């Protein structure tokens, strides 16, 4: 591509951004704030359960696993909720639920039994919110612009995910109750902003209006049969990712300083913000099998690097792991929306159900594995176990990846603009 052509494409993309509907612009900005608030608590859930509330690490690991499953697996209900109340109302409901959960989590510091319903509510909010959020974006733009805007949405979310832990790490040791109650107040404001700023959009129909309900169900089932590989790889990707996200805080607290978690998460999310949107078109058009295998391979190298110990190894490992994440997660999103056409809320619900299964397994398995190596005084080996699993996933991708056309045409017509 020549410099002139690249300049024309960048100008066209900028025009596309400026011509967005006001509701979509607001949602992209609010996505950043939602992620900022969410990730001031999400990476610290395990630490809060153990350090502030006093639960056994195995109980805390299992509770985190169940919460992760609810947060992701519960999203399969998102499509049904959207069908009944619409995309905007689903997001407002989800944020209200999470606000209540954060307030209860603050109470749980002094009344430990409240931790169980609190964590469930904190997890249930994103279960409804994120599929509706992504479906709102997919519904508001043309198919050609789907990779770009899912990349932009991911960048907004990851910017908040990177800054949130850094802020929370400065506050969590001082007064976790104040942090949690303050976050509940922030989410109340975010909920009001969604209600005020977003405009309702119609969800794309599942099938032509003349189709009978049974035919729609058969269409969904047939689409899911064709999406088995990306569902499998999504589950694997999140299984491995949640070893990183759920246990990096406990690892940092055990070998160094909990504030290190803020810098690790900042690096992880900053790389996604800076690299995923400009690489979105190439990720969408790359060979499916090689992209999957290469992404898992990068994750394996990253986890092996973290096992070396020390801040440089931890940051280098995070960078390698994040490169794999950048390629893998966006392509999994695109594949599922592509193979379950006409119903993005349902497609993202299936994606997050697969992620929830992966996260549940990671929390249960990881809790026991981490406890074993912590008792042995050899936490670095924990990351070698994760690296071996990443390598196994790369081999599986080579064997089962199959041949698949690009998720979108290789030439992305950014000049199409907003079509829906």
């Amino acid at each position: 591509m020549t410099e002139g052509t690249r300049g024309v494409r960048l100008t066209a993309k900028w025009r596309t951004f400026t011509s967005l509907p006001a509701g979509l612009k607001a949602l992209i900005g609010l996505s950043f704030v939602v992620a900022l608030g969410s990730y001031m608590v999400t990476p610290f859930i395990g630490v809060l359960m153990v350090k502030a509330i006093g639960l056994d690490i195995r109980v805390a690991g299992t509770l985190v696993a169940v919460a992760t499953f609810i947060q992701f697996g519960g999203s399969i209900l998102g499509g049904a909720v959207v069908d009944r109340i619409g995309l905007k109302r689903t997001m407002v409901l989800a944020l209200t639920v999470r606000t209540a959960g954060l307030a209860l989590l603050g109470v749980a510091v002094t009344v430990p039994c409240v931790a169980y319903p609190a964590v469930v509510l904190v997890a249930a909010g994103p279960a409804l919110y994120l599929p509706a959020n992504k479906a709102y974006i997919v519904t508001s733009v043309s198919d050609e612009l789907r990779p770009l805007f899912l990349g932009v949405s991911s960048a907004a979310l990851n910017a908040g995910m990177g800054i949130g832990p850094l802020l929370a790490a400065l506050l969590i040791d001082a007064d976790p109750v104040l942090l949690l109650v303050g976050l509940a107040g922030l989410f109340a404001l975010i909920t009001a902003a969604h209600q005020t700023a977003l405009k309702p959009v119609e969800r794309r129909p599942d099938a032509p209006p003349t189709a009978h309900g049974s035919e729609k169900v058969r269409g969904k089932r047939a689409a899911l049969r064709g999406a088995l590989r990306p569902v499998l790889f999504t589950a694997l990707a999140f299984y491995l990712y949640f070893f990183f996200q759920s246990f990096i805080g406990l690892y940092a607290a055990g070998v160094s300083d909990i504030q290190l978690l803020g810098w690790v998460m900042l690096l992880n999310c900053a790389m996604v913000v800076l690299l995923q949107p400009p690489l979105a078109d190439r990720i969408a058009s790359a060979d499916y099998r090689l992209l999957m295998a290469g992404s898992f391979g990068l994750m394996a190298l990253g986890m092996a690097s973290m096992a070396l110990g020390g801040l440089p190894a931890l940051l280098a490992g995070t960078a390698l792991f994040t490169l794999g994440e950048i390629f893998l997660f966006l392509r999994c999103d695109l594949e599922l929306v592509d193979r379950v056409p006409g119903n993005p809320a349902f497609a993202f619900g299936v994606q997050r159900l697969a992620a929830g299964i992966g996260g549940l397994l990671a929390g249960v398995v990881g809790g026991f594995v981490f406890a074993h190596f912590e008792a042995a005084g050899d936490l670095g080996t924990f990351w070698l176990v994760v690296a071996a699993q990443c390598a196994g996933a790369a081999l599986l991708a080579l064997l089962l990846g199959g041949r698949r056309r690009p998720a979108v045409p290789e030439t992305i017509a950014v000049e199409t603009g907003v079509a829906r």
Side-chain angles (χ1 to χ4, degrees), residues 68-79 123-124 126-128 131 349 352-353 356:
T68 300
F69 179 74
I70 293 171
Q71 178 175 340
F72 286 86
S75 293
I76 194 64
L77 302 176
L128 296 176
R352 289 181 63 80
L353 174 61

Side-chain angles (χ1 to χ4, degrees), residues 43-44 46-47 50-51 57 243-261 264 302-315 317-318 366 369-371 373-374 377-384 386:
F44 298 95
V47 177
V50 175
K51 306 293 185 183
I57 190 170
F243 272 95
F244 171 73
Q245 188 190 77
S246 298
F247 295 99
I248 188 64
L250 290 170
Y251 177 75
V255 302
S256 180
D257 187 338
I258 188 62
Q259 293 188 12
L260 177 63
L261 174 61
V264 168
M303 294 296 93
S305 298
M306 291 176 70
L308 297 174
L311 179 59
L314 193 61
L315 294 178
T318 298
V369 173
F370 190 91
F373 287 112
E374 183 181 47
D378 188 18
L379 285 179
T381 305
F382 173 80
W383 300 114
L384 290 179
V386 182

Side-chain angles (χ1 to χ4, degrees), residues 112-289:
C113 64
V114 179
Y116 300 97
V119 169
V120 169
L121 289 175
V122 168
L128 296 176
Y129 180 83
L130 286 170
N133 177 291
K134 289 186 176 183
Y136 191 103
I137 292 169
V138 168
T139 303
S140 300
V141 302
S142 65
D143 291 343
E144 292 82 2
L145 291 172
R146 184 185 297 160
L148 173 63
F149 280 95
L150 283 177
V152 169
S153 170
S154 177
L157 290 168
N158 276 275
M161 288 166 60
I163 298 172
L166 190 61
L167 294 177
L170 302 175
L171 302 173
I172 192 168
D173 286 334
D175 191 345
V177 175
L178 182 61
L179 171 65
L180 292 166
V181 173
L183 285 174
L186 173 63
F187 268 88
L189 293 175
I190 293 171
T191 304
H194 276 70
Q195 178 62 38
T196 303
L198 299 191
K199 305 297 182 184
V201 297
E202 293 186 5
R203 190 174 64 81
R204 297 181 184 181
D206 298 350
T210 57
H212 296 293
S214 60
E215 292 174 348
K216 293 179 181 180
V217 172
R218 284 197 297 270
K220 280 185 179 179
R221 290 174 179 171
L224 285 177
R225 283 196 295 271
L228 287 179
R229 283 194 184 98
V231 168
L232 169 64
F233 291 135
T234 295
L236 272 174
F238 276 93
Y239 169 74
L240 297 167
Y241 174 76
F242 275 104
F243 272 95
F244 171 73
Q245 188 190 77
S246 298
F247 295 99
I248 188 64
L250 290 170
Y251 177 75
V255 302
S256 180
D257 187 338
I258 188 62
Q259 293 188 12
L260 177 63
L261 174 61
W263 295 107
V264 168
M265 294 302 296
L266 180 62
L267 173 63
N268 173 256
C269 298
M271 288 181 63
V272 177
V273 170
L274 294 175
L275 296 179
Q276 196 170 68
L279 292 175
D281 293 355
R282 294 185 180 183
I283 292 170
S285 61
D287 180 87
Y288 183 58
R289 184 196 327 215

Side-chain angles (χ1 to χ4, degrees), residues 48-99:
L48 286 168
M49 295 296 103
V50 175
K51 306 293 185 183
I53 297 175
L55 298 181
D56 179 80
I57 190 170
R58 294 171 180 82
V59 175
T62 302
L63 183 58
V64 169
V66 171
T68 300
F69 179 74
I70 293 171
Q71 178 175 340
F72 286 86
S75 293
I76 194 64
L77 302 176
V81 176
V82 167
D83 284 340
R84 182 170 293 273
I85 66 175
L87 291 167
K88 174 183 173 178
R89 288 180 179 177
T90 299
M91 285 186 276
V92 171
L93 171 63
L95 291 167
T96 302
V97 168
R98 185 151 222 196
T99 301

Side-chain angles (χ1 to χ4, degrees), residues 104 132 339:
L104 281 179
R339 300 190 195 204

Side-chain angles (χ1 to χ4, degrees), residues 1 9 13 142-148 279-287 331 334-335 337-338 404-416:
M1 181 185 298
R9 288 170 61 85
K13 288 182 179 182
S142 65
D143 291 343
E144 292 82 2
L145 291 172
R146 184 185 297 160
L148 173 63
L279 292 175
D281 293 355
R282 294 185 180 183
I283 292 170
S285 61
D287 180 87
R331 186 57 182 267
L334 292 169
E335 286 291 325
V337 174
D338 183 45
R404 173 70 177 169
R405 65 179 174 80
V408 294
E410 293 191 17
T411 301
I412 305 296
V414 296
E415 294 80 7
T416 302

